[in-house]
Amino acid sequence: MINHELKIAFEEYDAITELNPADEHLCLESVKALVNSHSPYSKFRVGVAMQLQSGKIIHASNQENVAYPSGLCAERVALFYWGANHPDDPIETMAITAQTDEFLITKPITSCGSCLQVLAEYEKMQNQQINIILYCQQGPIWKMKGIHNQLPFLFFEDRLITQ
């Protein structure tokens, strides 16, 4: 038998003002993205702001549908938009925030497994890790580099890709 141990790494900040100015700005942009959330069923709004290498910022929000699960999480909306429109402009940082009128969110909200898997593939596609900021507006902020810190056993098989 062989015992293995996995470690993840992330930074935790107590306030947005502890972040560098670019990350602080991106977190505030993710809050702006909440406005376009279509979440009448869950009432749980998620906003994403992605900074590309060129400096362009992409905004996205979750989009629900009465024919659940036809909707999409904010992360996949942002990533699919990037893949369709800016695949040659690598994603550097992605800030994610959430808000609801139903209760106070006091810890960072992590992405669902489907979003993490898509993020893993797009990170591999651009051959560059993505900085991820989980911005809790009323609590700590977590920042990590690369998807492996959230999804250590991602599914990927290089032989499935034909070129």
Side-chain angles (χ1 to χ4, degrees):
M1 178 180 78
I2 299 173
N3 285 319
H4 297 271
E5 184 177 320
L6 292 174
K7 293 184 181 184
I8 63 167
F10 65 96
E11 300 167 352
E12 182 172 303
Y13 299 87
D14 290 327
I16 192 171
T17 54
E18 294 179 16
L19 296 170
N20 67 51
D23 289 345
E24 181 178 350
H25 176 71
L26 200 60
C27 286
L28 295 175
E29 290 294 314
S30 72
V31 174
K32 289 180 184 177
L34 292 169
V35 173
N36 292 324
S37 169
H38 179 68
S39 47
Y41 310 105
S42 72
K43 297 177 178 39
F44 192 81
R45 297 178 298 282
V46 179
V48 168
M50 284 191 332
Q51 172 106 33
L52 307 184
Q53 191 172 56
S54 67
K56 179 173 181 55
I57 295 177
I58 292 174
H59 298 85
S61 58
N62 57 322
Q63 302 295 312
E64 295 179 351
N65 189 280
V66 70
Y68 182 82
S70 297
L72 274 180
C73 301
E75 297 92 328
R76 283 182 282 161
V77 171
L79 291 163
F80 293 154
Y81 178 85
W82 172 81
N85 295 285
H86 303 284
D88 296 325
D89 191 0
I91 303 164
E92 289 191 344
T93 306
M94 183 177 201
I96 306 161
T97 194
Q99 191 174 65
T100 180
D101 297 332
E102 305 296 311
F103 54 88
L104 184 63
I105 299 172
T106 58
K107 64 180 184 176
I109 301 298
T110 58
S111 301
C112 75
S114 294
C115 288
L116 292 176
Q117 182 60 46
V118 170
L119 187 56
E121 181 147 339
Y122 279 54
E123 195 173 81
K124 186 156 182 71
M125 233 172 69
Q126 70 176 22
N127 197 30
Q128 176 180 310
Q129 290 183 324
I130 298 169
N131 294 307
I132 302 161
I133 304 169
L134 303 177
Y135 174 44
C136 179
Q137 297 173 61
Q138 304 295 323
I141 301 158
W142 295 348
K143 182 178 177 182
M144 58 209 69
K145 185 162 187 78
I147 190 62
H148 65 279
N149 283 305
Q150 289 187 75
L151 187 64
F153 288 111
L154 63 99
F155 173 76
F156 205 85
E157 173 52 64
D158 287 326
R159 293 173 292 181
L160 292 174
I161 298 174
T162 57
Q163 295 184 1

